[in-house]
Amino acid sequence: MKLTPHASSATPDKGALSPVAYDLLVIGAGPAGLAAARDAAAAGARVALIESHHIGGNCLHEGCIPSKTILRSAQLLADMRNALNYGVDLPDVGNADFAAVMERMRRVRDRILRVDSAARLDGEGIALHLGHARFVSADAVDVAGTRLRFRKALVATGSRPLLPDIEGLEAAGYLTNESVFELTRLPPSLLVIGGGPLGCELAQGFARLGSRTLICHSEPLFLPGEERDAAQMVSHALARDGVEIHLNCNIVAVRLEGGRKHITMVIDGNPSTTVVDEVLTGIGRLPAVQGLDLEKAGVAYDAGAGIQVDDFLRTTNPRIFAAGDVCLEEAYTNTAEASARIVVRNALFRGRQRMSALTVPWCTYTDPQVAHVGLYVRQARAQGIPVKTYTVPMHDVVRAITDGDEEGFVKVHVRDGTDRILGATIVGRCAGELINNISLAMVAGMGLRRLAGVIHAYPTQGEAVRQAAQACVRSLDAGEKRTHKNTA
Ligand SMILES: Cc1cc2nc3c(=O)[nH]c(=O)nc-3n(C[C@H](O)[C@H](O)[C@H](O)COP(=O)(O)OP(=O)(O)OC[C@H]3O[C@@H](n4cnc5c(N)ncnc54)[C@H](O)[C@@H]3O)c2cc1C
C-alpha cells in the first residue's frame, strides 16, 4: 500500500469533511490504540487517533497502573509487618496513610501519562481528536462535529466493567475499577465480589492496607482457568493476610441501612448475612461496543463477546480491524498492544500475521504472583498432545530460600519424550518476571535442553526455570540410556 505523508499538525479539521482520507483511523487511545497509532505514524502513515475519555485508556487510569502502584504500598506494609522474621525489629508498624498511598498512585499515573501526552502524540505526527467516535458509513466516522474518512480503521475501544445483577446493589451503591481508585478514605470494611485477577489482587491489597476485607467468589476456587494448585496457593495467601474467604458463594441482596451495606449471601446453599462499608465488584469485563454505530459500517459484533474478528483481526468490513479488549478473550495490556501491532502490519502493509501465532504470558499480581504462558495441561490433552510436567518447588531454589520466598513453584509442560515447551505456570513472589524467560524460549523455539545450558546469575530466583530444564534433560537422557540398553 502507498502511504500518504502524515499531517504535520494535529489540529482537528473542525466542522468539515476531512479533505484526505486517513491511512489509519484509530478509535480509542488505550494501549491498543496508542501502539497502533505510533507504529503507523512512525512508518509514515497519515494517522488519526480518537479518544472520548482520557489518553492511556483503562490500563493507565483504572487498571494496571493504579492497581500495581497501590499493591506496591500494600506489599511494603506486609513486608514491614513480617520484618521480625528477617531479624529486623520495626515496632508499631501501624496501618498505611491511605491518602498518601493514593497521592503516590496519582503521581505515578501522571508521570506515565506524560509519555502519552497530546503534545507528544502531535510531535509524532498523530492527529488527535477528542470526543466520542461513531461510524456514519463503511469509510467514515463522526467525532465532535467533524467527519473523518479513512482507508483503514482500527476499533480499539476496550472494555467496561460487567455488573452483577444483585437485588438492591444499585440503590446501595458500589465500587468498580472505575471508581475504586478515586477513594480518598480507606473503607473500614470492604466486600469484593469476584475472585478473578482483579478481585484477588485488590482484596489482598486492601486487606494489607488495613480494611477488613471479604471476598466472595461463585466457584470453588479463585482464578478460574489457572491450575488448581496455583489457585489454591492464592487462597492460602489471602487467608494468611486476613481476607475472609467465601467460595461457592453468591451475593443475593444488598440493603443500605445506617450508611452501611447489609449483605445477604448464599454459600453452598446456606444463607448468611454480613455488614460492610463498601462493595467492590470485579466479576468480569464487557467489550465497549455500545454507541459506535458499528451497524452503519457493516461491522458484526456481539454485546458479550465483542467485535467479530478473524485470525488476522479483520472485522466483517474489510477496511476495519479491531484489537485489544473489544475483540479478544484475553484482556491484557500486552495482548492489546501486540494485537494492535498485528493490525498495523496487516492493514497497512498487506501483512498476513495471525493472532493465534502469538505467545502471550500473563500474571496475577497477588503475593505470591501467578504467571502463565502457553498451554495448560488440560488444553494440551484436549489437542491430543502427550504432556510431561517438570516441577521445581521454590523451597528448592537457593535464592528463594535466602529471600524467604519459598512459597510457590515453577512448572514447565513439555511434549512427552521431547524438550519442546508447551506451556508453564509459575507461582512465586516474582513469577511475572520469571515467566518471561519461558516466553522468550518459546518464541525463540528454544527447548529445555538449551535452556538448561543457559548460565543464570547466581543466586537468582530465575534459576528455578533452569532447574526445571535440567530435570527434563536428566529424564530425557535417562530415557535414552534405557532405550540404548534395551536395544544393545
Ligand atoms: C483493575 C484492573 C487491573 C488490570 N491489571 C492488568 C495487568 O496488571 N496487566 C495487564 O496486562 N492487564 C491488566 N488489566 C487489563 C488492561 O487494563 C486491559 O486489557 C487494557 O487496558 C486493554 O487495552 P485496550 O486498548 O484494548 O482498551 P482500553 O484500555 O479500555 O482503552 C480503550 C479506550 O477507548 C476509548 N473509547 C471507547 N469508546 C470510544 C469511542 N466511541 N470513541 C472514542 N474513544 C473511545 C476509551 O475511553 C479508552 O480510553 C487490568 C484491568 C483492570 C480493570
Side-chain angles (χ1 to χ4, degrees):
M1 176 187 185
K2 192 171 180 313
L3 300 172
T4 48
H6 62 67
S8 57
S9 153
T11 313
D13 326 313
K14 281 264 181 276
L17 187 72
S18 60
V20 185
Y22 285 101
D23 295 317
L24 185 68
L25 180 141
V26 180
I27 305 178
L34 284 167
R38 288 206 151 109
D39 276 16
R46 185 177 149 90
V47 178
L49 175 63
I50 307 174
E51 172 54 48
S52 60
H53 196 29
H54 33 212
I55 299 168
N58 177 57
C59 175
L60 177 59
H61 298 276
E62 298 138 359
C64 328
I65 302 303
S67 61
K68 267 79 252 179
T69 312
I70 291 171
L71 292 182
R72 182 70 187 92
S73 299
Q75 187 187 334
L76 180 64
L77 198 52
D79 285 346
M80 288 169 73
R81 290 188 186 123
N82 194 27
L84 208 49
N85 281 332
Y86 291 78
V88 179
D89 191 4
L90 293 178
D92 306 325
V93 170
N95 274 338
D97 176 347
F98 188 71
V101 168
M102 299 306 261
E103 177 51 35
R104 173 174 181 270
M105 182 271 290
R106 281 189 287 277
R107 277 201 312 276
V108 168
R109 209 163 48 180
D110 288 349
R111 182 158 163 225
I112 296 172
L113 183 59
R114 269 183 253 146
V115 178
D116 298 326
S117 69
R120 212 146 158 174
L121 293 172
D122 185 25
E124 292 175 45
I126 297 165
L128 180 67
H129 295 259
L130 298 177
H132 184 95
R134 281 172 200 282
F135 286 96
V136 289
S137 67
D139 68 350
V141 155
D142 270 2
V143 54
T146 303
R147 182 151 303 176
L148 306 176
R149 289 190 298 117
F150 59 82
R151 293 198 172 93
K152 295 284 164 60
L154 166 64
V155 183
T157 48
S159 58
R160 61 195 168 87
L162 169 67
L163 300 176
D165 185 14
I166 297 171
E167 184 193 320
L169 181 65
E170 187 75 40
Y174 58 90
L175 301 165
T176 67
N177 71 294
E178 292 176 350
S179 47
V180 70
F181 302 116
E182 303 305 319
L183 284 176
T184 50
R185 197 177 65 92
L186 182 72
S189 57
L190 173 73
L191 167 70
V192 178
I193 306 178
L198 185 159
C200 289
E201 287 180 7
L202 291 182
Q204 188 178 44
F206 274 90
R208 287 177 160 190
L209 290 173
S211 285
R212 176 192 152 231
T213 306
L214 299 78
I215 184 166
C216 163
H217 183 54
S218 57
E219 296 183 39
L221 269 180
F222 292 125
L223 303 182
E226 293 298 349
E227 286 170 13
R228 293 173 69 93
D229 43 6
Q232 196 64 56
M233 281 191 164
V234 169
S235 239
H236 287 150
L238 295 192
R240 185 196 53 213
D241 279 317
V243 177
E244 288 175 37
I245 293 173
H246 299 289
L247 294 166
N248 287 326
C249 166
N250 285 302
I251 306 295
V252 292
V254 179
R255 180 171 46 86
L256 191 64
E257 195 181 304
R260 303 192 76 206
K261 294 168 174 88
H262 292 243
I263 314 287
T264 307
M265 57 177 98
V266 176
I267 304 168
D268 288 325
N270 302 310
S272 65
T273 55
T274 191
V275 182
V276 293
D277 297 285
E278 290 288 359
V279 174
L280 168 66
T281 75
I283 61 162
R285 313 274 307 160
L286 276 178
V289 286
Q290 75 289 6
L292 279 165
D293 288 345
L294 290 165
E295 297 80 1
K296 292 186 181 163
V299 173
Y301 69 97
D302 175 274
I307 293 183
Q308 189 185 315
V309 286
D310 64 13
D311 207 14
F312 303 101
L313 298 171
R314 287 179 306 209
T315 69
T316 45
N317 176 337
R319 284 174 181 268
I320 303 177
F321 291 69
D325 283 13
V326 76
C327 62
L328 301 176
E329 205 176 317
E330 273 135 19
Y332 302 106
T333 290
N334 55 359
T335 323
E337 289 181 347
S339 59
R341 297 204 156 104
I342 288 183
V343 167
V344 172
R345 270 169 251 143
N346 290 354
L348 300 185
F349 300 104
R350 296 185 190 282
R352 298 284 294 164
Q353 211 174 336
R354 290 177 182 273
M355 190 59 204
S356 58
L358 293 183
T359 301
V360 180
W362 56 80
C363 184
T364 297
Y365 296 92
T366 43
D367 179 16
Q369 301 175 354
V370 177
H372 181 84
V373 66
L375 295 179
Y376 292 98
V377 174
R378 64 177 182 279
Q379 292 173 322
R381 292 213 174 114
Q383 293 177 29
I385 305 171
V387 185
K388 175 134 184 159
T389 299
Y390 295 94
T391 305
V392 174
M394 294 309 276
H395 61 69
D396 281 352
V397 180
V398 168
R399 187 53 189 263
I401 300 170
T402 63
D403 288 346
D405 292 340
E406 294 179 53
E407 203 175 12
F409 56 77
V410 167
K411 246 197 217 183
V412 186
H413 312 304
V414 295
R415 175 183 266 275
D416 195 13
T418 75
D419 72 338
R420 204 190 117 215
I421 305 170
L422 298 171
T425 291
I426 302 182
V427 180
R429 217 182 205 197
C430 42
E433 302 290 340
L434 301 195
I435 202 76
N436 293 328
N437 272 339
I438 307 215
S439 305
L440 180 66
M442 288 175 78
V443 171
M446 191 192 281
L448 283 188
R449 200 175 271 285
R450 272 193 77 195
L451 196 49
V454 175
I455 300 171
H456 286 54
Y458 177 87
T460 52
Q461 295 198 18
E463 282 198 299
V465 173
R466 188 185 51 78
Q467 287 173 226
Q470 272 177 336
C472 171
V473 171
R474 276 196 292 270
S475 161
L476 290 174
D477 288 352
E480 269 167 30
K481 272 188 201 141
R482 269 196 306 276
T483 313
H484 188 67
K485 216 166 138 188
N486 290 342
T487 52

